């Protein structure tokens, strides 16, 4: 037989055991609830960041791939770099005098320089995407149809321009843009019996335009050199392509083939 004291204590021990089990169950349930509460926002934020980064990567990769190849700018009417406004009067006159080929060569030179500089931007786009914060990602998801592109412009615009300018200048030299310009200038100012006195006027215009290109005297303050013009237009083209890709991904996430993009932008 069990000692009398043990028999008396048994109910108390059983109650204590049941009480401890109840406490353990309550603590476990509370802990699980807290984990669910805290992990949900974190999980959502992580998904948003991953989705935005992947969308940005797709847009940047496509832009660099399409514009960085030969004819990438020249053969794409949406981003093709036109003549600067300052040279259009001379170019128009030259075309009327039979010098369209000189104008075409110059346009080709500018667009070729832009395409050659584009591959240099790939690493900058990649670094910008990698450094994106959760706050940036959430703002992009909740933002406009061009929020991701605007993020690139703000965070990487200056770096991108600094990276492409040396290549543009080098490409301009390799493509003999000076010779191309001098040919156009020479045609406009050369002896052409059909043109008559108008040639002299064209020559004067061409000389003043040379300054605007940084090919003659010092460029007046505030004027844009031809290299700066090409650099600006190159970035405009890149951002245009990225923007178009972003709009497409937002309007039809399923077409991306990416589950994380569908999850983030398909809501």
């Amino acid at each position: 037989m069990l000692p009398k004291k043990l028999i008396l204590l048994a109910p108390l021990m059983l109650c204590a055991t049941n009480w401890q089990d109840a406490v353990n169950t309550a603590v476990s349930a509370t802990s699980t609830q807290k984990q669910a509460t805290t992990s949900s926002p974190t999980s959502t934020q992580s998904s948003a960041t991953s989705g935005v980064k992947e969308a940005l990567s797709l847009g940047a990769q496509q832009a660099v791939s399409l514009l960085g190849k030969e004819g990438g700018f020249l053969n794409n009417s949406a981003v093709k770099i036109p003549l600067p406004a300052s040279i259009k009067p001379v170019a128009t006159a030259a075309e009327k005098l039979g010098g369209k080929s000189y104008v075409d060569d110059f346009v080709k030179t500018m667009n070729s320089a832009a395409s050659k500089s584009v591959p240099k931007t790939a690493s900058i786009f990649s670094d910008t995407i990698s450094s994106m914060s959760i706050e940036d990602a959430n703002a992009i998801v909740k933002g406009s149809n061009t929020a991701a592109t605007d993020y690139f412009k703000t965070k990487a615009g200056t770096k991108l321009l600094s990276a492409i300018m040396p290549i543009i200048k080098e490409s301009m030299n390799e493509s003999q843009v000076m010779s191309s310009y001098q040919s156009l200038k020479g045609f406009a100012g050369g002896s052409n019996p059909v043109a008559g006195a108008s040639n002299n006027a064209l020559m004067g215009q061409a000389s003043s335009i040379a300054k605007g290109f940084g090919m003659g005297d010092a460029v007046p303050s505030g004027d844009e050199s031809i290299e700066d013009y090409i650099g600006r237009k190159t970035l405009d083209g890149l951002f245009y392509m990225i923007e178009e890709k972003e709009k497409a991904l937002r309007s039809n996430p399923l077409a991306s083939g990416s589950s994380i993009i569908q999850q983030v932008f398909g809501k």
Side-chain angles (χ1 to χ4, degrees):
M1 293 181 60
L2 291 172
K4 186 176 181 180
K5 290 183 178 180
L6 184 59
I7 294 174
L8 293 173
L9 289 174
L12 295 176
M13 293 174 63
L14 180 61
C15 289
T17 301
N18 291 340
W19 178 83
Q20 185 62 50
D21 288 342
V23 170
N24 291 340
T25 301
V27 170
S28 178
T30 302
S31 176
T32 301
Q33 184 176 6
K34 285 183 177 179
Q35 289 178 0
T37 302
T38 56
S39 65
S40 181
T42 302
S43 177
T44 301
Q45 291 173 346
S46 178
S47 296
T49 303
S50 298
V52 170
K53 285 185 175 183
E54 187 160 336
L56 281 172
S57 294
L58 287 175
Q61 289 169 7
Q62 178 174 290
V64 172
S65 175
L66 293 176
L67 298 183
K69 63 183 180 181
E70 185 176 354
F73 275 87
L74 187 65
N75 300 328
N76 186 336
S77 60
V79 296
K80 181 180 178 180
I81 301 176
L83 286 169
S86 59
I87 199 177
K88 284 182 179 179
V90 173
T92 300
E95 289 179 350
K96 290 180 179 179
L97 299 174
K100 188 177 183 303
S101 62
Y102 295 99
V103 178
D104 291 342
D105 285 344
F106 198 83
V107 172
K108 183 178 181 180
T109 297
M110 291 191 300
N111 283 274
S112 175
S115 289
K116 288 181 180 180
S117 72
V118 164
K120 187 70 174 180
T121 65
S123 61
I124 297 176
F125 280 126
S126 179
D127 291 343
T128 304
I129 294 170
S130 297
S131 62
M132 177 184 291
S133 67
I134 292 176
E135 291 74 19
D136 288 331
N138 287 334
I140 289 172
V141 172
K142 298 174 183 177
S144 68
N145 284 343
T146 63
T149 307
D150 294 338
Y151 170 82
F152 268 145
K153 290 179 181 179
T154 302
K155 297 292 185 178
T158 302
K159 290 182 181 179
L160 290 168
L161 190 60
S162 297
I164 66 177
M165 286 309 296
I167 300 174
I168 286 175
K169 292 179 179 179
E170 180 182 351
S171 180
M172 295 289 280
N173 290 331
E174 291 176 353
S175 302
Q176 298 181 327
V177 65
M178 184 61 177
S179 298
S180 179
Y181 171 75
Q182 290 292 357
S183 296
L184 176 59
K185 176 181 172 182
F187 178 85
S191 56
N192 187 328
V194 178
S198 63
N199 281 346
N200 293 328
L202 288 174
M203 184 60 177
Q205 287 179 318
S207 296
S208 65
I209 288 168
K211 297 179 182 180
F213 282 170
M215 299 174 181
D217 299 335
V219 181
S221 178
D223 284 1
E224 188 175 41
S225 70
I226 187 62
E227 290 91 352
D228 290 337
Y229 171 77
I230 296 172
R232 177 169 59 85
K233 286 296 186 180
T234 299
L235 289 191
D236 286 348
L238 277 168
F239 289 138
Y240 172 83
M241 297 296 288
I242 294 173
E243 182 177 295
E244 290 300 298
K245 183 65 174 179
E246 179 183 1
K247 289 178 180 177
L249 288 176
R250 286 180 183 270
S251 64
N252 187 11
L254 290 175
S256 68
S258 166
S259 58
I260 190 66
I261 289 180
Q262 293 170 22
Q263 178 183 342
V264 173
F265 293 105
K267 297 178 181 179

